[in-house]
């Protein structure tokens, strides 16, 4: 039987406790999750790609079903390259849903790959990477918003 592999794509700048929750819940649905950091030269990131990958790998060092990779292509092309049959996404709001649905429809049309969506747990809906970056810029403590063990604070 083939492994059910899901790609969890994002910038993860930084990886938050909301992302961690999605990965934990996603592992109940698939055999392996590849946290895939997309390289987008148009985005100005706070943390380097290397720092983000290192932080997430450190967090999942004892979980062999989670891998961390980066890619510089269309997400569906990378999914096919690594043998993922699903794309996993999380949504916090109705606006997230509209955006993710459009992308999922295009991805399915292009490659046949299915997207499954997990709703963010209520206690994490206020957390976003952009809010965490804003807190960092002003010297605030981000420890309540990022997983312990990611060495980001």
């Amino acid at each position: 039987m083939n492994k059910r592999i899901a790609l969890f794509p994002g910038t993860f700048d930084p990886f938050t406790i909301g992302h961690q929750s999605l990965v934990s819940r996603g592992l109940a649905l698939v055999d392996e999750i590849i946290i895939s950091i997309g390289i987008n030269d148009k985005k100005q990131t706070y943390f380097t790609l290397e720092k983000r990958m290192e932080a997430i790998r450190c967090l999942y060092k004892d979980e062999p079903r989670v891998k961390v990779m980066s890619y510089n292509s269309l997400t569906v092309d990378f999914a096919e390259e690594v043998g993922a049959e699903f794309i996993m996404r999380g949504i916090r709001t109705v606006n997230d849903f509209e955006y993710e649905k459009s992308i999922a429809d295009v991805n399915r049309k292009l490659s046949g790959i299915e997207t499954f969506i997990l709703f963010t747990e209520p206690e994490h809906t206020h957390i976003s990477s952009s809010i965490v970056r804003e807190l960092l810029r002003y010297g605030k403590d981000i420890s309540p918003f990022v997983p312990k063990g990611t060495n980001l604070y």
Side-chain angles (χ1 to χ4, degrees), residues 129-148:
S129 293
S130 56
I131 288 173
V132 174
R133 286 192 307 274
E134 188 74 6
L135 293 173
L136 279 168
R137 282 188 191 97
Y138 288 97
K140 299 298 180 186
D141 178 23
I142 63 165
S143 62
F145 309 108
V146 297
K148 291 177 182 20

Side-chain angles (χ1 to χ4, degrees), residues 8-52:
F8 183 28
T11 307
F12 304 115
D13 186 36
F15 193 82
T16 68
I17 59 174
H19 296 129
Q20 182 183 29
S21 169
L22 293 169
V23 170
S24 295
R25 292 166 49 219
L27 285 172
L29 304 172
V30 296
D31 301 310
E32 182 178 300
I33 293 176
I34 300 172
I35 299 171
S36 30
I37 302 175
I39 298 170
N40 184 344
D41 294 333
K42 294 176 185 164
K43 272 192 172 181
Q44 182 76 22
T45 59
Y46 190 91
F47 293 102
T48 65
L49 172 64
E50 293 76 20
K51 180 72 173 173
R52 287 177 280 151

Side-chain angles (χ1 to χ4, degrees), residues 76 80 85 106-115:
V76 291
E80 288 176 347
E85 60 183 301
V106 169
N107 287 342
R108 189 179 324 98
K109 186 81 167 167
L110 284 174
S111 68
I113 196 163
E114 287 292 342
T115 298

Side-chain angles (χ1 to χ4, degrees), residues 82-96:
V82 297
E85 60 183 301
F86 304 105
I87 294 174
M88 182 180 89
R89 299 294 294 158
I91 60 172
R92 294 175 297 140
T93 66
V94 172
N95 292 341
D96 288 351

Side-chain angles (χ1 to χ4, degrees), residues 55-67:
I56 300 167
R57 282 186 179 134
C58 185
L59 179 63
Y60 291 105
K61 68 182 182 300
D62 297 324
E63 177 50 81
R65 298 186 313 142
V66 175
K67 301 201 177 354

